């Protein structure tokens, strides 16, 4: 009997130990950070050494690393720590990082998610992707080469994206004899660049990723350095911010309708806090109501804060759908149809001004066009040159027109709702990442009739058919896709009132952000939503229609 009880106790003890470990891990703070810099600065090797020296690898991982290192032969008989994160065959063949590799690990003090980003200029877009959710950035510099163009570009992007904690890791110190003068010279040069780039502060640490110097513990090879090791510094960085102290904002991701007696609006709280009974309003419509319930998978809550995913029900039956933003009733956010933004161009094809792209901000997708490129930043000198079409990896200040008002938030006020991407309408490829910088004074446009842009145009006059065809061709050449509503188009619909049919079709397509030209002849004196253009007084077909 004693033997049987002892056998049963062992699994229970292991289970309890596992539960204690899970609970302790859940209560640890989480730091997301990236490694970035120029190619061959040793980013992947540093992460691999960090995992190895922290004893955070399983035996099968160590066995696979030893086998892969022997097969690749890049470090002779030694382990090639870069292989822990460089998993693509192309990465291993070329010895470079191409895609962003994410790794999770935890120490006694903190949990970490690290993103190893590529250094090649061609893959800068991947670095931006990794940096978009990071709290800190470890910028590596090869001690032999010093500061390079990609070092400056990644540093500027990290600052632009709003990463508050920058660590300058001067790597490969073993290859320069662990010289303090080399380290001091690089730190001084980087400090001058940082001041020009608007980087308030950074922490410089001399390291050797290959040998493990100053990675998880202080290295005796550099007694002149009195600061913390890299892991110690990352463990003590402050995380989190004033998210719960900011105004309440939540983008609606999904309308939950599991039964006829429940309708909830699901999303992740971007900032602030909300409680049952709080007064809120729905943007862009601006309708006000109150929070009835806060529903989660663990049951109802009395209140919720930034970072939580919730479903709210409202006291009133009002129109609210995916893409709308729920804010506190006293929030001053106003829907805008024009924004000023910092844009990082990520496509091999140049930006086409006035071409129509999809702009995805929060959970909403709208049609947009870059109306003006104010300037482009030279990452080497940080000087701004005259505006021109953006090319791959260019960073520009632009003004963007939206096809309808959206509740925009400046990026400096909220990273989650102030960042956006541009998507090519033909290829559906992401061509740019942007940060809302400002809202121009004329950005707020109240709807006139049914369309904020007066996208319904009635073409009159004897030459209306020819004029409308020229206007459609002209707009399509600019990347816009208008709908032409003529007599043939309305003839397919039942009814004996073609003008009314044309109006209803126009209302339908413009509600989806598609402009409409109507050539159906209306009776004199009739008024309809939209604008009227007399084809006999417009010669070129389209110049007067500025959307």
């Amino acid at each position: 009997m004693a033997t049987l009880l002892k056998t049963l106790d062992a699994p229970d003890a292991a289970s309890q130990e596992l539960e204690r470990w899970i609970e302790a891990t859940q209560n640890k703070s989480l730091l997301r950070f990236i490694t970035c810099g120029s190619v061959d600065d040793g980013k992947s090797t540093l992460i691999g050494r960090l995992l190895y020296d922290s004893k955070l690898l399983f035996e099968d991982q160590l066995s696979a690393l030893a086998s892969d290192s022997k097969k690749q032969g890049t470090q002779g008989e030694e382990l090639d720590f870069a292989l822990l994160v460089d998993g693509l065959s192309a990465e291993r063949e070329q010895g470079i990082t191409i895609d962003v590799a994410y790794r999770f690990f935890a120490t006694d003090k903190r949990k970490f998610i690290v993103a190893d980003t590529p250094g090649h200029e061609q893959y800068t877009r991947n670095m931006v992707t990794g940096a978009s959710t990071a709290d800190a950035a470890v910028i590596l510099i090869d001690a032999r080469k010093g500061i390079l163009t990609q070092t400056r570009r990644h540093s500027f992007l990290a600052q632009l994206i709003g990463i508050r904690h920058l660590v300058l890791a001067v790597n490969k110190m073993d290859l320069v004899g662990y010289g303090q003068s080399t380290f001091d010279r690089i730190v001084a040069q980087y400090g001058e660049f940082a001041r020009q780039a608007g980087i308030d502060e950074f922490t410089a640490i001399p390291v050797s990723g290959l040998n493990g110097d100053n990675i998880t513990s202080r290295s005796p090879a550099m007694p002149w350095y009195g600061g913390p090791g890299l892991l110690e510094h990352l463990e003590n960085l402050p995380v989190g911010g004033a998210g719960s102290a900011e105004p309440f904002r939540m983008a609606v991701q999904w309308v939950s309708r599991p039964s006829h007696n429940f309708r909830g609006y699901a999303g992740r709280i971007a900032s602030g806090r909300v409680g049952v009974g709080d007064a809120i309003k729905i943007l862009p419509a601006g309708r006000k109501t109150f929070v009835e319930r806060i529903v989660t998978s663990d049951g109802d809550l009395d209140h919720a804060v930034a970072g939580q995913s919730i479903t709210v029900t409202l006291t009133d039956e009002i129109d609210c759908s995916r893409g709308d933003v729920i804010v506190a009733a006293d929030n001053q956010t106003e829907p805008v149809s024009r924004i000023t933004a910092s844009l990082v161009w990520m496509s091999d094809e140049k930006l086409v001004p006035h071409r129509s792209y999809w702009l995805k901000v929060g959970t909403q997708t709208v049609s947009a066009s870059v109306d003006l490129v104010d300037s482009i930043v030279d990452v080497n000198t940080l000087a701004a040159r005259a505006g021109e079409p953006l090319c791959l990896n260019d960073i520009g200040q632009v003004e963007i027109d939206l096809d309808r008002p959206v509740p925009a938030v400046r990026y400096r006020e909220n990273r989650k709702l102030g960042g956006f991407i541009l998507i090519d309408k033909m290829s559906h490829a992401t061509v740019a990442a942007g940060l809302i910088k400002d809202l121009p004074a004329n950005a707020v446009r109240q709807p006139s009739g049914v369309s904020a842009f007066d996208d319904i145009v009635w073409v009159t006059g004897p030459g209306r058919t020819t004029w409308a065809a020229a206007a459609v061709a002209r707009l399509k050449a600019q990347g816009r896709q208008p709908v032409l509503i003529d007599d043939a188009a309305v003839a397919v619909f039942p009814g004996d009132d073609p003008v009314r049919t044309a109006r209803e079709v126009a209302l339908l397509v413009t509600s989806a952000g598609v402009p409409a030209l109507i050539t159906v002849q209306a009776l004199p004196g009739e008024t309809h939503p939209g604008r009227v253009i007399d084809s006999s007084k417009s010669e070129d077909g389209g110049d007067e229609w500025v959307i």
Side-chain angles (χ1 to χ4, degrees):
M1 179 64 70
T3 303
L4 178 60
L5 289 176
K6 184 176 182 180
T7 303
L8 291 175
D9 284 344
D12 290 341
S15 176
Q16 293 173 5
E17 181 66 24
L18 178 60
E19 290 179 358
R20 283 194 295 269
W21 181 87
I22 292 175
E23 182 178 359
T25 301
Q26 288 177 336
N27 293 329
K28 293 177 182 177
S29 62
L30 172 66
L31 177 73
R32 299 174 181 267
F33 71 97
I34 63 169
T35 58
C36 53
S38 190
V39 66
D40 290 332
D41 280 348
K43 298 178 289 297
S44 300
T45 299
L46 181 138
I47 293 177
R49 170 61 79 170
L50 185 64
L51 297 174
Y52 180 81
D53 285 357
S54 301
K55 297 179 174 56
L56 299 171
L57 300 175
F58 296 109
E59 290 186 5
D60 60 336
Q61 291 177 304
L62 289 172
S63 177
L65 176 61
S67 176
D68 292 342
S69 298
K70 185 176 180 180
K71 179 180 178 182
Q72 297 295 326
T74 56
Q75 298 297 331
E77 297 298 323
E78 301 295 328
L79 295 176
D80 184 356
F81 297 107
L83 298 178
L84 285 170
V85 286
D86 285 342
L88 298 177
S89 59
E91 294 177 322
R92 298 190 171 197
E93 290 171 2
Q94 301 178 53
I96 63 172
T97 299
I98 296 175
D99 199 5
V100 181
Y102 294 91
R103 290 292 181 272
F104 171 85
F105 67 97
T107 64
D108 292 338
K109 291 186 176 181
R110 171 171 282 174
K111 297 179 292 185
F112 299 91
I113 295 178
V114 55
D116 181 27
T117 64
H120 270 275
E121 182 177 352
Q122 179 183 352
Y123 304 115
T124 299
R125 69 195 81 177
N126 294 351
M127 178 269 172
V128 175
T129 301
S132 61
T133 58
D135 304 305
V138 179
I139 301 169
L140 273 79
I141 292 180
D142 188 328
R144 301 168 302 170
K145 301 176 182 177
I147 301 174
L148 303 176
T149 297
Q150 199 68 341
T151 311
R152 296 185 178 92
R153 178 178 283 111
H154 282 190
S155 299
F156 185 78
L157 285 171
Q159 181 271 340
L160 185 68
I161 290 172
I163 297 178
R164 296 181 296 122
H165 305 293
L166 298 185
V167 181
L168 183 69
V170 183
N171 194 24
K172 304 186 181 182
M173 289 296 296
D174 54 307
L175 299 182
V176 295
Y178 297 106
Q180 181 179 1
S181 59
T182 301
F183 175 75
D184 291 341
R185 173 176 53 81
I186 292 175
V187 173
Q189 292 174 350
Y190 187 84
E192 179 62 27
F193 166 80
R195 283 189 291 273
Q196 296 176 10
I199 298 173
D200 296 330
E201 59 179 329
F202 64 92
T203 301
I205 303 176
V207 300
S208 171
L210 187 63
N211 295 339
D213 295 298
N214 287 338
I215 302 298
T216 57
S217 61
R218 292 276 303 278
S219 170
M222 290 175 279
W224 46 266
Y225 172 69
L230 177 61
L231 183 60
E232 179 186 352
H233 179 71
L234 294 175
E235 284 181 327
N236 292 293
L237 282 178
V239 295
S244 59
E246 297 174 2
F248 169 67
R249 302 185 186 97
M250 186 186 82
V252 177
Q253 187 172 3
W254 185 256
V255 178
S256 178
R257 185 76 168 147
S259 64
H260 67 279
N261 57 2
F262 182 91
R263 179 185 284 108
Y265 306 97
R268 185 181 180 90
I269 302 177
S271 65
R273 58 184 290 145
V274 64
V276 174
D278 285 357
I280 55 94
K281 64 180 176 182
I282 312 297
L283 297 177
R287 299 183 182 90
K288 295 184 179 182
T289 183
F290 297 88
V291 176
E292 182 182 46
R293 294 174 58 192
I294 301 175
V295 183
T296 71
S297 58
D298 297 324
D300 284 16
L301 302 176
D302 292 329
H303 67 272
V305 298
Q308 287 184 279
S309 295
I310 61 172
T311 299
V312 297
T313 64
L314 308 177
T315 57
D316 300 302
E317 292 288 342
I318 63 176
D319 184 20
C320 181
S321 58
R322 174 178 168 82
D324 290 346
V325 178
I326 303 177
V327 300
D330 58 354
N331 192 288
Q332 300 301 313
T333 300
E334 291 288 345
V336 298
S337 53
R338 186 177 179 88
I339 59 174
T340 298
S342 298
L343 200 65
V344 182
W345 195 252
M346 303 162 64
S347 173
D348 293 324
E349 296 184 4
K350 291 183 179 182
L351 165 70
V352 179
H354 305 295
R355 180 179 176 181
S356 183
Y357 297 93
W358 291 120
L359 184 146
K360 188 178 190 313
V361 55
T363 57
Q364 186 168 199
T365 302
V366 299
S367 187
S369 62
V370 178
D371 180 58
L372 175 67
V373 179
D374 291 323
S375 61
I376 299 176
V377 178
D378 186 322
V379 295
N380 287 308
T381 65
L382 297 179
R385 65 179 188 267
E388 58 188 51
L390 296 175
C391 301
L392 178 65
N393 296 330
D394 278 346
I395 304 168
Q397 306 301 315
V398 302
E399 293 188 19
I400 300 177
D401 274 330
L402 312 177
D403 75 329
R404 59 181 179 272
V406 300
V409 178
R410 294 175 181 87
Y411 187 81
R412 64 177 179 270
E413 298 173 3
N414 190 278
R415 289 180 67 180
K416 296 179 179 63
L417 297 180
F420 63 89
I421 58 174
L422 286 183
I423 303 170
D424 187 279
K425 287 188 173 182
M426 300 297 292
S427 65
H428 299 286
T430 299
V431 296
L435 317 173
I436 299 176
K437 186 177 180 181
D438 208 351
L439 311 175
N442 62 344
V444 180
R445 302 182 185 177
Q446 298 301 327
S448 173
V450 297
S451 171
F453 283 81
D454 288 335
D455 281 351
I456 300 177
V457 175
W458 297 77
V459 186
T460 63
R464 62 184 183 277
T465 302
T466 303
W467 190 96
V472 168
R474 195 178 177 88
L475 292 171
K476 286 185 175 180
Q478 297 176 2
R480 304 170 185 175
Q481 298 295 324
V483 170
L484 177 60
I485 304 174
D486 55 13
D487 292 318
V490 299
V492 301
F493 294 94
D496 54 1
D497 190 345
V499 175
R500 179 181 178 183
T501 301
R503 183 182 66 237
E504 296 302 321
V505 172
L507 291 172
L508 180 63
V509 298
T510 53
S511 67
V514 179
L517 285 85
I518 304 174
T519 61
V520 177
Q521 187 66 48
L523 295 176
E526 286 186 326
T527 58
H528 300 284
R531 294 189 286 135
V532 177
I533 291 181
D534 187 347
S535 61
S536 63
K537 297 179 181 180
S538 179
E539 298 178 356
D540 53 8
D543 264 351
E544 292 185 8
W545 189 14
V546 180
I547 298 177

